[in-house]
Amino acid sequence: MSAQDDIKRLTAPDILARKSVEPIVCLTSYHAHTARLVDRHCDLILVGDSLGMVMHGLETTVPVTLDMMILQGLAVMRGSRRALVVVDMPFGSYEGSKEQAFANAARVLKETGCGAIKLEGGRRMAETISFLVERGVPVMAHVGLTPQSINVIGSFRAQGRDKADWGPIEEDALAVAGAGAFAVVIEAVAEPLARKITKAIAIPTIGIGASPACDGQILVLEDLLGLSSRVPKFVKRYGTLGPSIEAAIAAYAKDVRARVFPGPDHVYAMKSKPK
Ligand code: KIV
């Protein structure tokens, strides 16, 4: 058995068991090389449909397709060994019927080898979540701000900032927990509400713009690294990769124009012939 075989990948039940035990560290990744780095420090890697905006420059996540998610999910599985990899179901791939959701979720699990899927929606998706879980598909739910509904909600505004609006969001979280989701992402929700939900439900809450009381936290990797030009209020930038990358590109361009690159170390000399 190789050292590689000793590393056991975390599962959805492992993440569920972390409720109220220790914080669950999550990040997004869409590529093998970032997955390799994220895997060393995180418990869960989300191949989020935010890849539509981050990788493809789309305005929203709505145009993202199942094939796009499967391609990047496979890359992240190749790059990681330990974290649970969760792949987002894109808009239009699961809302039509429970059967549509199962057929597409089964494709994601089979074709990427990931350990779970994520879908957006609370009460309206509860029946689908039960159907999937009963058939062997671990589901992470996503409530609060649900970006795939942008054309209905109108803007990416924080939810539950008036106490009068709390009821439906609490009911959504209770419904997905009752339906068998192993965890739930709570996005852009007033802090006291996210705290209350975390106390009220038996599954881990993963906050993004929610509360430090959540059982775990997630951010989009490129936002954290300082690669995204515009970020929501809830993002803390832990790096400034944008300017570093641009400085490297500018230095390369300068060297090429000055014929300084490639230098003697970067070219192949002829084999020396035996005399
Ligand atoms: O697609 C995504 O990156 C997400 C996170 C914001 C949770 O759903």
Side-chain angles (χ1 to χ4, degrees), residues 5-260:
D5 295 329
D6 290 344
I7 295 170
K8 192 179 161 302
R9 202 184 268 281
L10 291 170
T11 63
D14 293 331
I15 298 296
L16 175 59
R18 293 271 195 94
K19 173 85 185 172
S20 312
V21 177
E22 61 177 303
I24 302 162
V25 185
C26 317
L27 275 176
T28 63
S29 166
Y30 321 123
H31 326 95
H33 62 280
T34 55
R36 199 166 295 122
L37 302 172
V38 170
D39 191 55
R40 295 192 196 135
H41 303 276
C42 292
D43 306 306
L44 185 152
I45 304 177
L46 174 68
V47 185
D49 63 353
S50 52
L51 66 79
M53 296 158 93
V54 176
M55 289 180 65
H56 297 275
L58 295 168
E59 282 294 313
T60 73
T61 55
V62 172
V64 173
T65 65
L66 198 63
D67 288 338
M68 287 161 84
M69 297 309 305
I70 289 174
L71 193 63
Q72 302 320 134
L74 198 51
V76 169
M77 283 300 293
R78 287 193 198 108
S80 62
R81 294 194 294 166
R82 184 191 154 270
L84 172 65
V85 174
V86 179
V87 175
D88 247 342
M89 298 294 289
F91 178 70
S93 69
Y94 62 95
E95 307 90 328
S97 67
K98 319 188 282 272
E99 290 77 14
Q100 179 209 24
F102 179 74
N104 285 329
R107 255 197 83 193
V108 171
L109 292 189
K110 279 171 188 277
E111 294 180 31
T112 68
C114 73
I117 58 97
K118 176 167 84 59
L119 51 78
E120 293 185 8
R123 287 157 295 167
R124 69 183 166 90
M125 291 314 301
E127 206 184 319
T128 297
I129 294 172
S130 303
F131 189 83
L132 293 179
V133 175
E134 279 164 14
R135 284 158 183 77
V137 181
V139 178
M140 180 153 90
H142 183 152
V143 303
L145 176 67
T146 48
Q148 291 176 9
S149 303
I150 184 65
N151 290 317
V152 174
I153 58 181
S155 71
F156 295 113
R157 250 204 330 267
Q159 311 284 300
R161 298 186 75 191
D162 281 324
K163 211 162 180 183
D165 301 332
W166 282 19
I169 305 171
E170 286 180 88
E171 284 171 29
D172 279 345
L174 286 166
V176 297
F182 71 90
V184 57
V185 169
I186 304 186
E187 177 164 356
V189 158
E191 195 280 332
L193 173 57
R195 187 178 290 273
K196 184 167 182 229
I197 291 172
T198 299
K199 280 205 191 109
I201 64 175
I203 61 171
T205 56
I206 309 296
I208 174 161
S211 167
C214 286
D215 300 291
Q217 301 294 330
I218 187 161
L219 282 176
V220 169
L221 179 65
E222 285 75 359
D223 292 351
L224 164 161
L225 293 176
L227 271 172
S228 312
S229 50
R230 275 185 309 142
V231 293
K233 165 191 161 63
F234 56 71
V235 172
K236 178 171 173 184
R237 289 189 196 258
Y238 287 84
T240 49
L241 276 201
S244 306
I245 291 176
E246 194 172 350
I249 295 167
Y252 163 75
K254 189 168 167 239
D255 280 2
V256 171
R257 290 197 176 100
R259 297 199 185 280
V260 172

